[in-house]
mmCIF file of all heavy atoms in Angstrom:
data_model
loop_
_atom_site.group_PDB
_atom_site.id
_atom_site.type_symbol
_atom_site.label_atom_id
_atom_site.label_comp_id
_atom_site.label_asym_id
_atom_site.label_seq_id
_atom_site.Cartn_x
_atom_site.Cartn_y
_atom_site.Cartn_z
ATOM 1 N N SER A 1 95.734 330.662 1.618
ATOM 2 C CA SER A 1 96.472 331.755 2.305
ATOM 3 C C SER A 1 97.764 331.233 2.881
ATOM 4 O O SER A 1 98.703 332.027 3.078
ATOM 5 C CB SER A 1 95.599 332.300 3.439
ATOM 6 O OG SER A 1 94.383 332.869 2.933
ATOM 7 N N THR A 2 97.856 329.942 3.124
ATOM 8 C CA THR A 2 99.168 329.399 3.693
ATOM 9 C C THR A 2 100.039 328.835 2.640
ATOM 10 O O THR A 2 101.148 328.507 2.957
ATOM 11 C CB THR A 2 98.806 328.303 4.721
ATOM 12 O OG1 THR A 2 98.075 327.232 4.046
ATOM 13 C CG2 THR A 2 97.926 328.822 5.859
ATOM 14 N N SER A 3 99.520 328.745 1.370
ATOM 15 C CA SER A 3 100.344 328.093 0.371
ATOM 16 C C SER A 3 100.917 329.062 -0.642
ATOM 17 O O SER A 3 102.031 328.916 -1.117
ATOM 18 C CB SER A 3 99.482 327.074 -0.413
ATOM 19 O OG SER A 3 99.010 326.071 0.510
ATOM 20 N N LEU A 4 100.172 330.058 -1.095
ATOM 21 C CA LEU A 4 100.601 330.964 -2.193
ATOM 22 C C LEU A 4 101.569 332.054 -1.724
ATOM 23 O O LEU A 4 102.586 332.332 -2.348
ATOM 24 C CB LEU A 4 99.399 331.507 -2.919
ATOM 25 C CG LEU A 4 98.583 330.517 -3.697
ATOM 26 C CD1 LEU A 4 97.485 331.243 -4.466
ATOM 27 C CD2 LEU A 4 99.467 329.692 -4.672
ATOM 28 N N PRO A 5 101.243 332.825 -0.681
ATOM 29 C CA PRO A 5 102.182 333.888 -0.254
ATOM 30 C C PRO A 5 103.559 333.403 0.162
ATOM 31 O O PRO A 5 103.701 332.218 0.672
ATOM 32 C CB PRO A 5 101.449 334.553 0.876
ATOM 33 C CG PRO A 5 100.022 334.194 0.712
ATOM 34 C CD PRO A 5 100.055 332.778 0.154
ATOM 35 N N ARG A 6 104.568 334.240 -0.025
ATOM 36 C CA ARG A 6 105.914 333.745 0.314
ATOM 37 C C ARG A 6 106.191 333.749 1.818
ATOM 38 O O ARG A 6 107.164 333.137 2.293
ATOM 39 C CB ARG A 6 106.945 334.619 -0.358
ATOM 40 C CG ARG A 6 106.745 336.107 -0.202
ATOM 41 C CD ARG A 6 107.600 336.891 -1.268
ATOM 42 N NE ARG A 6 107.247 338.303 -1.289
ATOM 43 C CZ ARG A 6 107.751 339.263 -0.515
ATOM 44 N NH1 ARG A 6 108.662 338.903 0.348
ATOM 45 N NH2 ARG A 6 107.410 340.520 -0.661
ATOM 46 N N ILE A 7 105.347 334.388 2.647
ATOM 47 C CA ILE A 7 105.446 334.387 4.063
ATOM 48 C C ILE A 7 104.138 333.969 4.670
ATOM 49 O O ILE A 7 103.077 334.479 4.375
ATOM 50 C CB ILE A 7 105.831 335.829 4.594
ATOM 51 C CG1 ILE A 7 107.100 336.324 3.893
ATOM 52 C CG2 ILE A 7 106.006 335.805 6.092
ATOM 53 C CD1 ILE A 7 107.354 337.790 4.126
ATOM 54 N N HIS A 8 104.225 333.071 5.674
ATOM 55 C CA HIS A 8 103.017 332.669 6.408
ATOM 56 C C HIS A 8 103.318 332.928 7.886
ATOM 57 O O HIS A 8 104.284 332.524 8.475
ATOM 58 C CB HIS A 8 102.726 331.162 6.234
ATOM 59 C CG HIS A 8 101.661 330.617 7.088
ATOM 60 N ND1 HIS A 8 101.526 329.292 7.480
ATOM 61 C CD2 HIS A 8 100.605 331.280 7.730
ATOM 62 C CE1 HIS A 8 100.501 329.131 8.263
ATOM 63 N NE2 HIS A 8 99.875 330.307 8.402
ATOM 64 N N VAL A 9 102.408 333.726 8.463
ATOM 65 C CA VAL A 9 102.450 334.035 9.929
ATOM 66 C C VAL A 9 101.260 333.379 10.595
ATOM 67 O O VAL A 9 100.086 333.662 10.234
ATOM 68 C CB VAL A 9 102.459 335.544 10.160
ATOM 69 C CG1 VAL A 9 102.427 335.831 11.668
ATOM 70 C CG2 VAL A 9 103.651 336.203 9.506
ATOM 71 N N ALA A 10 101.489 332.457 11.541
ATOM 72 C CA ALA A 10 100.375 331.845 12.318
ATOM 73 C C ALA A 10 100.396 332.380 13.696
ATOM 74 O O ALA A 10 101.416 332.292 14.427
ATOM 75 C CB ALA A 10 100.661 330.293 12.319
ATOM 76 N N LEU A 11 99.310 333.047 14.042
ATOM 77 C CA LEU A 11 99.095 333.592 15.377
ATOM 78 C C LEU A 11 98.370 332.587 16.260
ATOM 79 O O LEU A 11 97.259 332.163 15.928
ATOM 80 C CB LEU A 11 98.294 334.899 15.300
ATOM 81 C CG LEU A 11 98.854 336.001 14.408
ATOM 82 C CD1 LEU A 11 97.894 337.142 14.312
ATOM 83 C CD2 LEU A 11 100.210 336.489 14.947
ATOM 84 N N VAL A 12 99.033 332.147 17.357
ATOM 85 C CA VAL A 12 98.479 331.024 18.109
ATOM 86 C C VAL A 12 98.474 331.375 19.612
ATOM 87 O O VAL A 12 99.541 331.736 20.146
ATOM 88 C CB VAL A 12 99.249 329.726 17.866
ATOM 89 C CG1 VAL A 12 98.522 328.543 18.560
ATOM 90 C CG2 VAL A 12 99.574 329.458 16.429
ATOM 91 N N GLY A 13 97.323 331.259 20.319
ATOM 92 C CA GLY A 13 97.248 331.420 21.731
ATOM 93 C C GLY A 13 98.040 330.260 22.408
ATOM 94 O O GLY A 13 97.944 329.070 21.906
ATOM 95 N N ILE A 14 98.705 330.527 23.476
ATOM 96 C CA ILE A 14 99.541 329.424 24.071
ATOM 97 C C ILE A 14 98.676 328.299 24.608
ATOM 98 O O ILE A 14 99.195 327.210 24.839
ATOM 99 C CB ILE A 14 100.407 329.985 25.207
ATOM 100 C CG1 ILE A 14 99.525 330.661 26.269
ATOM 101 C CG2 ILE A 14 101.488 330.938 24.669
ATOM 102 C CD1 ILE A 14 100.333 331.126 27.500
ATOM 103 N N GLU A 15 97.345 328.479 24.751
ATOM 104 C CA GLU A 15 96.519 327.427 25.241
ATOM 105 C C GLU A 15 96.071 326.459 24.139
ATOM 106 O O GLU A 15 95.371 325.497 24.430
ATOM 107 C CB GLU A 15 95.268 328.053 25.952
ATOM 108 C CG GLU A 15 94.151 328.461 25.011
ATOM 109 C CD GLU A 15 94.389 329.828 24.352
ATOM 110 O OE1 GLU A 15 95.517 330.349 24.372
ATOM 111 O OE2 GLU A 15 93.436 330.346 23.754
ATOM 112 N N LYS A 16 96.401 326.762 22.867
ATOM 113 C CA LYS A 16 95.926 325.898 21.795
ATOM 114 C C LYS A 16 96.684 324.642 21.522
ATOM 115 O O LYS A 16 96.413 323.917 20.605
ATOM 116 C CB LYS A 16 95.932 326.777 20.462
ATOM 117 C CG LYS A 16 94.892 327.859 20.415
ATOM 118 C CD LYS A 16 93.530 327.306 20.374
ATOM 119 C CE LYS A 16 92.418 328.323 20.013
ATOM 120 N NZ LYS A 16 92.467 328.707 18.612
ATOM 121 N N LEU A 17 97.620 324.347 22.391
ATOM 122 C CA LEU A 17 98.447 323.128 22.183
ATOM 123 C C LEU A 17 97.698 321.880 22.498
ATOM 124 O O LEU A 17 96.706 321.858 23.296
ATOM 125 C CB LEU A 17 99.708 323.189 23.092
ATOM 126 C CG LEU A 17 100.945 323.868 22.487
ATOM 127 C CD1 LEU A 17 100.709 325.331 22.237
ATOM 128 C CD2 LEU A 17 102.137 323.652 23.403
ATOM 129 N N LEU A 18 98.118 320.800 21.878
ATOM 130 C CA LEU A 18 97.789 319.431 22.238
ATOM 131 C C LEU A 18 99.108 318.674 22.452
ATOM 132 O O LEU A 18 100.091 318.947 21.803
ATOM 133 C CB LEU A 18 97.019 318.695 21.103
ATOM 134 C CG LEU A 18 95.619 319.295 20.808
ATOM 135 C CD1 LEU A 18 95.026 318.496 19.631
ATOM 136 C CD2 LEU A 18 94.678 319.162 21.998
ATOM 137 N N PRO A 19 99.118 317.738 23.451
ATOM 138 C CA PRO A 19 100.373 317.028 23.744
ATOM 139 C C PRO A 19 100.874 316.186 22.605
ATOM 140 O O PRO A 19 102.044 316.260 22.219
ATOM 141 C CB PRO A 19 100.065 316.196 25.014
ATOM 142 C CG PRO A 19 98.871 316.872 25.583
ATOM 143 C CD PRO A 19 98.066 317.390 24.427
ATOM 144 N N ARG A 20 100.022 315.288 22.085
ATOM 145 C CA ARG A 20 100.480 314.262 21.080
ATOM 146 C C ARG A 20 99.750 314.330 19.800
ATOM 147 O O ARG A 20 98.587 314.770 19.773
ATOM 148 C CB ARG A 20 100.305 312.879 21.731
ATOM 149 C CG ARG A 20 101.108 312.652 22.997
ATOM 150 C CD ARG A 20 100.633 311.355 23.720
ATOM 151 N NE ARG A 20 99.244 311.492 24.137
ATOM 152 C CZ ARG A 20 98.856 312.009 25.273
ATOM 153 N NH1 ARG A 20 99.716 312.525 26.112
ATOM 154 N NH2 ARG A 20 97.556 312.033 25.568
ATOM 155 N N LEU A 21 100.377 313.832 18.734
ATOM 156 C CA LEU A 21 99.726 313.816 17.491
ATOM 157 C C LEU A 21 98.492 312.856 17.466
ATOM 158 O O LEU A 21 97.477 313.095 16.798
ATOM 159 C CB LEU A 21 100.673 313.306 16.357
ATOM 160 C CG LEU A 21 100.199 313.371 14.913
ATOM 161 C CD1 LEU A 21 99.877 314.801 14.547
ATOM 162 C CD2 LEU A 21 101.228 312.805 13.975
ATOM 163 N N SER A 22 98.513 311.804 18.312
ATOM 164 C CA SER A 22 97.411 310.928 18.417
ATOM 165 C C SER A 22 96.168 311.613 19.040
ATOM 166 O O SER A 22 95.120 311.113 18.833
ATOM 167 C CB SER A 22 97.794 309.640 19.257
ATOM 168 O OG SER A 22 98.175 310.085 20.552
ATOM 169 N N ASP A 23 96.373 312.679 19.724
ATOM 170 C CA ASP A 23 95.194 313.456 20.355
ATOM 171 C C ASP A 23 94.486 314.157 19.219
ATOM 172 O O ASP A 23 93.280 314.462 19.368
ATOM 173 C CB ASP A 23 95.720 314.437 21.370
ATOM 174 C CG ASP A 23 96.402 313.779 22.555
ATOM 175 O OD1 ASP A 23 95.949 312.714 22.959
ATOM 176 O OD2 ASP A 23 97.391 314.392 23.087
ATOM 177 N N LEU A 24 95.211 314.531 18.156
ATOM 178 C CA LEU A 24 94.645 315.472 17.166
ATOM 179 C C LEU A 24 93.429 314.924 16.481
ATOM 180 O O LEU A 24 92.412 315.654 16.256
ATOM 181 C CB LEU A 24 95.718 315.806 16.114
ATOM 182 C CG LEU A 24 95.324 316.795 15.045
ATOM 183 C CD1 LEU A 24 94.845 318.134 15.654
ATOM 184 C CD2 LEU A 24 96.470 317.022 14.067
ATOM 185 N N SER A 25 93.468 313.602 16.074
ATOM 186 C CA SER A 25 92.333 313.004 15.323
ATOM 187 C C SER A 25 91.008 313.181 16.179
ATOM 188 O O SER A 25 89.920 313.469 15.599
ATOM 189 C CB SER A 25 92.585 311.561 15.013
ATOM 190 O OG SER A 25 92.735 310.790 16.179
ATOM 191 N N GLY A 26 91.077 312.931 17.418
ATOM 192 C CA GLY A 26 89.913 313.029 18.265
ATOM 193 C C GLY A 26 89.403 314.473 18.394
ATOM 194 O O GLY A 26 88.170 314.719 18.233
ATOM 195 N N PHE A 27 90.292 315.397 18.498
ATOM 196 C CA PHE A 27 89.872 316.845 18.628
ATOM 197 C C PHE A 27 89.386 317.351 17.334
ATOM 198 O O PHE A 27 88.458 318.183 17.276
ATOM 199 C CB PHE A 27 90.997 317.678 19.177
ATOM 200 C CG PHE A 27 91.116 317.702 20.643
ATOM 201 C CD1 PHE A 27 91.899 316.768 21.328
ATOM 202 C CD2 PHE A 27 90.392 318.604 21.374
ATOM 203 C CE1 PHE A 27 91.949 316.755 22.679
ATOM 204 C CE2 PHE A 27 90.491 318.652 22.761
ATOM 205 C CZ PHE A 27 91.231 317.698 23.431
ATOM 206 N N LEU A 28 89.917 316.893 16.180
ATOM 207 C CA LEU A 28 89.436 317.342 14.858
ATOM 208 C C LEU A 28 87.964 316.866 14.665
ATOM 209 O O LEU A 28 87.124 317.626 14.136
ATOM 210 C CB LEU A 28 90.268 316.778 13.755
ATOM 211 C CG LEU A 28 91.706 317.335 13.597
ATOM 212 C CD1 LEU A 28 92.446 316.631 12.551
ATOM 213 C CD2 LEU A 28 91.627 318.863 13.283
ATOM 214 N N GLN A 29 87.610 315.732 15.122
ATOM 215 C CA GLN A 29 86.241 315.195 15.021
ATOM 216 C C GLN A 29 85.361 315.964 16.042
ATOM 217 O O GLN A 29 84.193 316.221 15.756
ATOM 218 C CB GLN A 29 86.214 313.717 15.209
ATOM 219 C CG GLN A 29 86.918 312.893 14.149
ATOM 220 C CD GLN A 29 86.985 311.423 14.501
ATOM 221 O OE1 GLN A 29 85.990 310.768 14.389
ATOM 222 N NE2 GLN A 29 88.138 310.980 14.928
ATOM 223 N N LEU A 30 85.860 316.172 17.164
ATOM 224 C CA LEU A 30 85.083 316.775 18.244
ATOM 225 C C LEU A 30 84.732 318.206 17.925
ATOM 226 O O LEU A 30 83.547 318.650 18.089
ATOM 227 C CB LEU A 30 85.845 316.712 19.593
ATOM 228 C CG LEU A 30 85.011 316.924 20.853
ATOM 229 C CD1 LEU A 30 83.890 315.911 20.977
ATOM 230 C CD2 LEU A 30 85.917 316.883 22.073
ATOM 231 N N ILE A 31 85.661 318.990 17.425
ATOM 232 C CA ILE A 31 85.387 320.349 17.082
ATOM 233 C C ILE A 31 84.442 320.529 15.945
ATOM 234 O O ILE A 31 83.551 321.336 15.911
ATOM 235 C CB ILE A 31 86.694 321.168 16.805
ATOM 236 C CG1 ILE A 31 86.422 322.695 16.806
ATOM 237 C CG2 ILE A 31 87.363 320.760 15.505
ATOM 238 C CD1 ILE A 31 87.652 323.516 16.727
#
């Protein structure tokens, strides 16, 4: 859905942020 259509719209709640890229690996495993 994010690769084939010519337009991609991502709807994101403002609380979904993480500060650093290094945080992401931990949260990906945790979720």
Side-chain angles (χ1 to χ4, degrees):
S1 297
T2 61
S3 301
L4 292 184
R6 49 193 169 89
I7 304 168
H8 173 203
V9 178
L11 304 173
V12 190
I14 57 174
E15 81 281 13
K16 288 295 191 74
L17 270 65
L18 294 177
R20 298 168 298 275
L21 187 61
S22 59
D23 298 323
L24 182 59
S25 61
F27 274 91
L28 289 175
Q29 295 174 74
L30 196 59
I31 192 173

